[in-house]
Amino acid sequence: MYDIIIIGAGVSGAAAARELSRYQAKICVLEKEEDVCCGTSKANSAIVHAGYDAAAGSLKAKLNVRGNELMGRLSEELDFPFQRIGSLVLCFQEADLPKLQALYQRGIENGVPKLRILDREETLRLEPNLSEDTFASLYAPTAGIVCPFELNLALAENAYANGTKFQFHTEVQSIERLEKGYLLHTSRGELRTRYVVNAAGLYGDEIHNMVSQKKLKLTARRGEYCLLDKTAGTHVRRTIFPLPDKMGKGILVTPTVHGNLLLGPTAVNTEDKEGVNTTLEGLALVSERAARSVKNLPVRQVITSFAGLRAHEEGDDFIIEEVSDAKGFFDCIGIESPGIASCPAIGERVAALLQKEMDLKKKDHFISARKGRLNPNALSFAERNALIRKQPAYGNIICRCEMISEGEILEAVRRPLGAKSLDGVKRRTRSGMGRCQGGFCSPKVMEILAREQQTGLQEITKSGGSSKLLAGTNKDAF
Amino acid sequence: MKNYDIVIIGGGPAGLAAAISARESKIESILILERDRELGGILNQCIHNGFGLHTFQEELTGPEYADRFICQVEEKNIAYKLNTIVLDITSEKVITAMNREEGLFQTQAKAVILAMGCRERPRGALNIPGYRPAGIYSAGTAQRLVNMEGCLPGREVVILGSGDIGLIMARRLTLEGAKVQAVAELMPYSGGLKRNIVQCLNDYDIPLKLSHTVIDIQGKKRVEGVTLAAVDAQGKPIPGTEEHYACDTLLLSVGLIPENELSRGMGVELNSVTSGPKVDESLETSLEGVFACGNVLHVHDLVDFVSAESAAAGRNAAAYVKGELPGRASVKKLFLRHGEGVRYTVPETICPERMDEELTVRFRVSRVYQSCYISAYFDHERIRHKKRQIMAPGEMEDIKLTKEELLKYPDRKQITIMIEEG
Ligand SMILES: Cc1cc2nc3c(=O)[nH]c(=O)nc-3n(C[C@H](O)[C@H](O)[C@H](O)COP(=O)(O)OP(=O)(O)OC[C@H]3O[C@@H](n4cnc5c(N)ncnc54)[C@H](O)[C@@H]3O)c2cc1C
Ligand SMILES: Cc1cc2nc3c(=O)[nH]c(=O)nc-3n(C[C@H](O)[C@H](O)[C@H](O)COP(=O)(O)OP(=O)(O)OC[C@H]3O[C@@H](n4cnc5c(N)ncnc54)[C@H](O)[C@@H]3O)c2cc1C
């Protein structure tokens, strides 16, 4: 019997778990995939928005501004990459100036600090590679970028360090209401809990509808991206947006925390909640629109493309509340953008709601800090040599593009909530994320995984489940 | 910090041949740095035969060909370090490398030979739409899995790109028990050697679909199928020509990119067509005393030419160390221009005073040519006119120039290589 079960180990579930782990309670996070950060949290723009986009008074606006404010300290506490690089919304003609001003006004109402409208010259001085058509811009110096994988992982690892259980490959299939609490039927058996937090991302509606008569519907809205090589990474220094439209914030151009350049996303509704495929039209639109904002974009330097799905709810706002006809059951859904930016505040809010409801008491020894994995590239020559002498695996480079050593991969596999698959290693270490996209390193990473898991190469997967990388051995068909 | 006369980055066929010829040119202090667990480079995974026809007049497998060079390196006591990756080279030729035993260390070289080879272009570089499941491999990665680990990456395979590795893998996978359904090629001609099309596709009834590409990949966890479509002259898919293939694997053989991160880092100028360093007749890059050869310079299809080119680089580096290579500033420089039908030339400049009696200029043509001539003009005078029955971008061409003829006209400035119709 748990006190609280959290469904979903994306940033929302992980942030809720981390904040709730401050209290004396028996908590478990259930995740249907093999790892944290396998849903929307792994494929997005990773922008910590300043907070001028959402309608004044909305939960999105409130939590975005609060999340942005918290992100700096959180990144130090939990040791994940976050850079406050600032963002610019561009306006290309005088006629659109009122729209820019409206955005500015909304930002002021939402409480976004340091917003400024810049004229053409000021804008181009900040970003010389912007389009010649640039007329003015809204500058938000508090906007930033994070590594979404590391953010998600850091929150989860810290919750784990504070006693939260994580159960992977565990899909919640139906929920029964009990006298006191809930019985969850999962792909791995039944689990009882007094309280439930529904942070199931795109499936949040289905989970909600299992317990409530007030049915909800989430629509998957696909966003496609192109990622460019690091040689293009400084083409712009800030996140560059066009003016937003009714489908969203438009196609942006931004550096990533790892020094690549990211272009996207598109915004197209799809029926398929697993429909993270890219399309010819989508990718073409990304290049075309990105080039409207930024000139001389080296689009030939693309190293990969990908897509993510927003969990869009009709009310166009986050839903974080106790379900009115299901006592003790809390929704944390409709978390589309700015869910990454807001997650520190989402965690805070979920924890506050449950604390009040359950009258939770603080733990005496909450561990607030988490140390990220060792980064040998940040060490001095002498320090690195000392490390290699102690652990020679740090002297063996596995991923040649990103210069990731065997030592780093081993740490990613061996840590609590460690990597189990090629993608798990990739999200943690960046091995395979560079310009050759795993051509050199995947066979070697597969070998390391097989060795660590004491299994054969044939068992290694790309992302758990049926995503086996190999089909058999030579001539086994004869 | 240890000092060497010549440090060679990469112990593939290029690095090995360069080391051997530098030693034959009486350089004692040579070091080869190789990041893999053995010498031989990409040849170690090329277990098919067809190597060495030019160099040894026999058909060897890749490992056999490499072994002939490795034996010479051993006999000549040339120093090498394995499992050692070069992380950085400064313009002053200080090399930072790393391995498990020594950790990070630095060496100072008088001359550096860049021989890092190339890597494969990934799916992303083509922006192929669709899902991103398990079962998408570059052909070279699949080659490593099959030939070195004994693993079969898939059972029902479609190959995109008709580069040599893709063609070779079509045959290999068939022999290992997989079914290769088709090889699709974007261009109206194959990017590989003619002999590979005959021996790897035709002999096994594997269809080659020219002017086709992959426009969608299906399967959320593992590849379940791909959609091919015909493309127009601009390479754009033609609606209505889509064909679906049920398969569990997509191999990509869509080009090789010289690995020049180190070269770029040290400030070597690169050629935008080859993605390799700009070099002169001595295979010396824009940095004095830094030479380049093999696939890092431009992608080769025949290892024999890699060996020949690299032997020259080794000789020239030796001459440089011994002070026998005249400084570039002191001698006349001719420019090589690539004219009609020629995509690039290696080298790009020639100092006749520094060259051997004969110089091989290598290049690729930009499309398929039949019954045409390779011509060389020295300013306005045509000095070569060589008939070729057939030329294709997949097969490297060459033309030889002599020192004597280039020295004959001191006023002339430019050599143009071009393709001329009959
Ligand atoms: C294209 C795009 C761009 C975006 N850009 C930004 C941005 O720049 N800045 C920003 O702040 N936000 C951005 N977002 C939004 C942000 O990515 C999301 O708000 C955030 O990732 C949502 O996190 P989550 O934890 O709610 O959902 P998810 O990450 O999807 O996590 C939900 C988890 O629940 C699991 N689950 C589902 N059903 C079950 C079940 N039945 N049983 C067990 N587990 C289950 C899933 O497997 C999944 O792991 C973007 C989103 C998209 C799609
Ligand atoms: C798959 C394939 C099939 C082929 N088939 C044929 C054929 O049938 N017949 C034929 O004649 N030719 C064939 N070739 C062509 C020929 O084999 C290659 O052109 C030749 O191997 C290139 O030699 P290289 O030394 O330049 O590069 P490579 O063989 O790639 O060697 C480069 C070496 O440098 C090392 N290196 C790179 N960076 C670093 C660093 N930072 N630190 C330390 N070491 C480093 C690499 O590990 C590698 O060992 C084939 C090539 C390939 C790729």
Side-chain angles (χ1 to χ4, degrees):
Chain A
M1 177 79 161
Y2 287 103
D3 294 321
I4 306 168
I5 280 184
I6 299 169
I7 306 171
V11 290
S12 302
R18 194 260 176 172
E19 287 308 312
L20 281 166
S21 71
R22 292 175 186 275
Y23 299 98
Q24 300 172 23
K26 227 178 124 192
I27 307 172
C28 182
V29 178
L30 304 183
E31 169 56 55
K32 68 177 166 70
E33 301 296 326
E34 51 131 27
D35 197 356
V36 305
C37 203
C38 285
T40 301
S41 301
K42 79 168 178 190
N44 52 67
S45 318
I47 308 299
V48 177
H49 297 283
Y52 48 75
D53 287 290
S58 65
L59 199 52
K60 270 188 186 171
K62 212 159 114 186
L63 297 189
N64 184 355
V65 173
R66 174 75 181 148
N68 181 304
E69 190 186 312
L70 292 173
M71 198 63 86
R73 211 190 68 215
L74 191 68
S75 73
E76 285 164 23
E77 247 176 14
L78 299 185
D79 197 14
F80 61 84
F82 167 57
Q83 295 160 14
R84 227 179 256 291
I85 59 172
S87 70
L88 292 166
V89 181
L90 303 187
C91 146
F92 298 118
Q93 47 186 348
E94 194 164 3
D96 284 337
L97 203 52
K99 292 186 191 155
L100 205 63
Q101 277 154 346
L103 215 52
Y104 171 82
Q105 271 314 324
R106 202 191 298 160
I108 299 297
E109 274 178 67
N110 291 352
V112 179
K114 298 185 192 162
L115 280 180
R116 274 201 299 147
I117 290 194
L118 308 183
D119 64 17
R120 176 187 160 85
E121 278 63 44
E122 286 174 294
T123 310
L124 293 177
R125 216 174 302 132
L126 284 184
E127 292 290 351
N129 282 328
L130 294 184
S131 155
E132 292 301 335
D133 296 337
T134 303
F135 180 78
S137 70
L138 175 63
Y139 179 39
T142 57
I145 50 179
V146 285
C147 171
F149 320 123
E150 204 54 27
L151 164 65
N152 199 156
L153 194 66
L155 289 164
E157 281 187 12
N158 188 235
Y160 179 88
N162 286 298
T164 304
K165 272 195 69 177
F166 282 79
Q167 225 176 286
F168 297 102
H169 292 297
T170 307
E171 181 178 6
V172 175
Q173 290 166 335
S174 64
I175 304 178
E176 251 178 83
R177 201 181 300 197
L178 304 174
E179 191 80 18
K180 257 184 137 184
Y182 293 87
L183 176 65
L184 275 52
H185 298 271
T186 79
S187 53
R188 294 247 165 137
E190 295 175 353
L191 292 163
R192 272 163 212 277
T193 178
R194 291 167 59 214
Y195 293 85
V196 178
V197 175
N198 168 17
L202 287 156
Y203 297 92
D205 53 350
E206 293 173 24
I207 300 283
H208 168 98
N209 295 344
M210 290 176 192
V211 299
S212 173
Q213 290 315 306
K214 307 206 170 98
K215 303 297 176 197
L216 285 179
K217 180 168 165 44
L218 295 176
T219 307
R221 185 172 285 177
R222 181 164 52 219
E224 300 183 35
Y225 293 93
C226 296
L227 186 77
L228 308 194
D229 189 273
K230 286 183 174 174
T231 48
T234 53
H235 199 69
V236 295
R237 306 270 172 183
R238 295 167 188 75
T239 304
I240 310 299
F241 294 98
L243 275 167
D245 63 19
K246 64 176 189 308
M247 286 298 271
K249 292 184 270 286
I251 286 174
L252 59 81
V253 178
T254 186
T256 70
V257 287
H258 301 291
N260 297 83
L261 199 69
L262 183 66
L263 321 180
T266 53
V268 177
N269 292 344
T270 156
E271 285 302 304
D272 185 356
K273 288 185 176 181
E274 304 286 328
V276 290
N277 54 319
T278 55
T279 61
L280 269 180
E281 311 78 58
L283 297 177
L285 189 74
V286 167
S287 308
E288 187 226 319
R289 287 293 161 82
R292 283 194 200 170
S293 300
V294 179
K295 65 182 177 199
N296 307 327
L297 260 183
V299 280
R300 276 188 54 207
Q301 306 246 28
V302 54
I303 59 171
T304 187
S305 56
F306 63 89
L309 297 171
R310 308 168 183 85
H312 180 70
E313 205 278 325
E314 265 166 38
D316 208 16
D317 202 1
F318 296 161
I319 300 174
I320 306 178
E321 62 195 18
E322 184 167 45
V323 175
S324 59
D325 57 348
K327 196 145 181 51
F329 192 103
F330 290 80
D331 276 338
C332 177
I333 63 177
I335 312 295
E336 53 180 338
S337 189
I340 297 282
S342 309
C343 77
I346 292 176
E348 238 182 25
R349 187 175 181 90
V350 171
L353 286 172
L354 278 123
Q355 191 279 327
K356 197 157 157 243
E357 178 75 20
M358 301 170 68
D359 194 23
L360 293 169
K361 301 279 176 301
K362 287 239 159 139
K363 273 183 192 148
D364 293 335
H365 302 290
F366 174 69
I367 306 163
S368 63
R370 167 252 185 199
K371 192 86 206 81
R373 285 175 316 279
L374 181 77
N375 175 9
N377 291 317
L379 300 178
S380 72
F381 205 95
E383 288 168 335
R384 198 157 169 190
N385 268 336
L387 172 70
I388 297 171
R389 225 168 294 128
K390 266 205 340 237
Q391 289 171 272
Y394 283 96
N396 179 21
I397 294 290
I398 300 290
C399 168
R400 296 146 173 192
C401 301
E402 298 288 314
M403 288 294 166
I404 310 298
S405 65
E406 184 183 352
E408 290 159 87
I409 294 173
L410 287 174
E411 188 187 351
V413 173
R414 290 175 185 172
R415 268 171 91 100
L417 308 182
K420 304 175 196 81
S421 65
L422 210 54
D423 280 358
V425 169
K426 173 167 140 179
R427 280 194 297 275
R428 285 168 178 80
T429 63
R430 294 186 56 71
S431 181
M433 281 207 187
R435 47 180 69 96
C436 95
Q437 289 286 301
F440 278 125
C441 67
S442 11
K444 297 188 172 189
V445 174
M446 286 161 66
E447 248 175 72
I448 296 175
L449 281 167
R451 204 180 339 122
E452 287 293 303
Q453 295 168 4
Q454 299 183 349
T455 159
L457 269 187
Q458 304 291 335
E459 301 308 313
I460 304 305
T461 66
K462 179 169 186 287
S463 56
S466 55
S467 66
K468 287 226 171 117
L469 285 153
L470 299 173
T473 52
N474 291 349
K475 299 197 168 62
D476 62 1
F478 300 128
Chain B
M1 186 157 45
K2 274 213 168 162
N3 292 287
Y4 287 90
D5 283 346
I6 300 181
V7 175
I8 298 168
I9 320 297
L16 295 172
I20 292 162
S21 82
R23 174 57 53 86
E24 284 168 349
S25 309
K26 305 278 176 300
I27 299 293
E28 280 310 307
S29 149
I30 302 173
L31 175 66
I32 305 173
L33 296 173
E34 168 56 53
R35 63 186 172 188
D36 226 320
R37 59 191 174 213
E38 52 197 341
L39 294 174
I42 204 75
L43 291 183
N44 289 319
Q45 65 182 56
C46 301
I47 61 170
H48 54 281
N49 57 2
F51 296 82
L53 280 169
H54 296 255
T55 314
F56 301 111
Q57 284 77 49
E58 47 181 321
E59 273 204 60
L60 305 173
T61 65
E64 284 169 344
Y65 184 94
D67 194 54
R68 301 227 167 158
F69 288 83
I70 296 171
C71 286
Q72 288 191 59
V73 164
E74 302 282 3
E75 276 163 25
K76 294 184 183 339
N77 271 317
I78 298 173
Y80 59 86
K81 288 181 194 287
L82 300 179
N83 298 308
T84 304
I85 188 158
V86 174
L87 300 174
D88 182 60
I89 313 173
T90 68
S91 52
E92 278 71 48
K93 308 189 190 73
V94 175
I95 295 145
T96 307
M98 181 168 79
N99 62 34
R100 295 170 66 107
E101 292 73 33
E102 295 163 273
L104 278 177
F105 63 91
Q106 294 188 313
T107 48
Q108 171 76 60
K110 287 190 187 138
V112 171
I113 301 179
L114 304 171
M116 289 89 75
C118 57
R119 66 164 176 271
E120 298 181 273
R121 276 175 87 197
R123 166 194 183 179
L126 306 182
N127 239 348
I128 304 171
Y131 285 91
R132 295 166 299 288
I136 305 170
Y137 289 101
S138 60
T141 307
Q143 187 176 47
R144 187 188 168 96
L145 285 167
V146 174
N147 292 352
M148 298 182 80
E149 324 286 348
C151 298
L152 202 57
R155 303 209 177 269
E156 293 287 333
V157 184
V158 170
I159 300 179
L160 176 62
S162 61
D164 286 313
I165 322 176
L167 300 176
I168 301 267
M169 281 313 289
R171 176 176 62 187
R172 171 60 49 202
L173 285 167
T174 306
L175 296 175
E176 299 299 351
K179 166 101 182 91
V180 178
Q181 302 190 6
V183 174
E185 167 60 55
L186 182 72
M187 305 304 281
Y189 49 82
S190 159
L193 297 171
K194 180 76 188 154
R195 71 163 197 231
N196 282 338
I197 298 191
V198 174
Q199 296 172 5
C200 300
L201 299 189
N202 301 357
D203 287 0
Y204 297 87
D205 292 329
I206 299 169
L208 172 61
K209 300 184 74 79
L210 297 174
S211 299
H212 274 71
T213 193
V214 173
I215 58 159
D216 193 27
I217 302 172
Q218 297 102 29
K220 284 164 187 173
K221 285 287 188 183
R222 174 84 200 190
V223 174
E224 287 166 10
V226 301
T227 307
L228 298 187
V231 297
D232 62 20
Q234 282 71 48
K236 291 254 174 302
I238 304 170
T241 62
E242 297 84 1
E243 274 178 286
H244 181 258
Y245 286 77
C247 59
D248 63 6
T249 304
L250 174 65
L251 286 199
L252 302 173
S253 175
V254 291
L256 300 167
I257 306 170
E259 282 244 285
N260 276 294
E261 279 65 39
L262 290 172
S263 327
R264 200 177 285 124
M266 70 191 297
V268 163
E269 280 175 38
L270 301 183
N271 175 311
S272 61
V273 179
T274 59
S275 303
K278 297 182 171 181
V279 292
D280 62 17
E281 76 301 320
S282 307
L283 303 173
E284 191 175 15
T285 67
S286 61
L287 287 185
E288 195 188 299
V290 178
F291 299 79
C293 53
N295 278 351
V296 81
L297 178 57
H298 56 146
V299 174
H300 291 252
D301 13 81
L302 285 178
V303 70
D304 304 75
F305 297 156
V306 171
S307 303
E309 178 178 280
S310 306
R315 259 194 324 274
N316 296 331
Y320 171 82
V321 168
K322 292 187 283 186
E324 291 167 4
L325 194 64
R328 274 187 290 213
S330 62
V331 296
K332 185 181 165 207
K333 179 158 89 176
L334 298 172
F335 290 91
L336 262 167
R337 206 174 68 84
H338 47 102
E340 177 65 30
V342 174
R343 286 193 58 225
Y344 70 84
T345 63
V346 168
E348 287 177 66
T349 55
I350 299 177
C351 301
E353 272 125 301
R354 287 165 36 116
M355 72 188 257
D356 294 334
E357 288 318 313
E358 190 178 71
L359 174 75
T360 305
V361 175
R362 302 188 197 280
F363 62 92
R364 284 186 193 270
V365 293
S366 50
R367 60 176 174 86
V368 175
Y369 286 93
Q370 267 162 346
S371 294
C372 284
Y373 291 85
I374 301 173
S375 299
Y377 285 81
F378 196 4
D379 279 359
H380 294 294
E381 184 195 354
R382 187 157 79 190
I383 55 171
R384 288 289 181 288
H385 199 52
K386 179 167 106 176
K387 178 93 187 250
R388 296 280 283 127
Q389 274 318 320
I390 184 142
M391 289 183 284
E395 314 216 7
M396 194 182 279
E397 297 291 335
D398 65 42
I399 191 161
K400 294 190 168 49
L401 301 173
T402 66
K403 183 170 191 163
E404 193 190 347
E405 67 188 333
L406 297 188
L407 282 175
K408 208 150 79 191
Y409 304 99
D411 302 338
R412 293 188 181 173
K413 294 190 179 61
Q414 177 169 288
I415 298 155
T416 305
I417 314 282
M418 63 168 83
I419 308 304
E420 290 180 317
E421 308 276 334

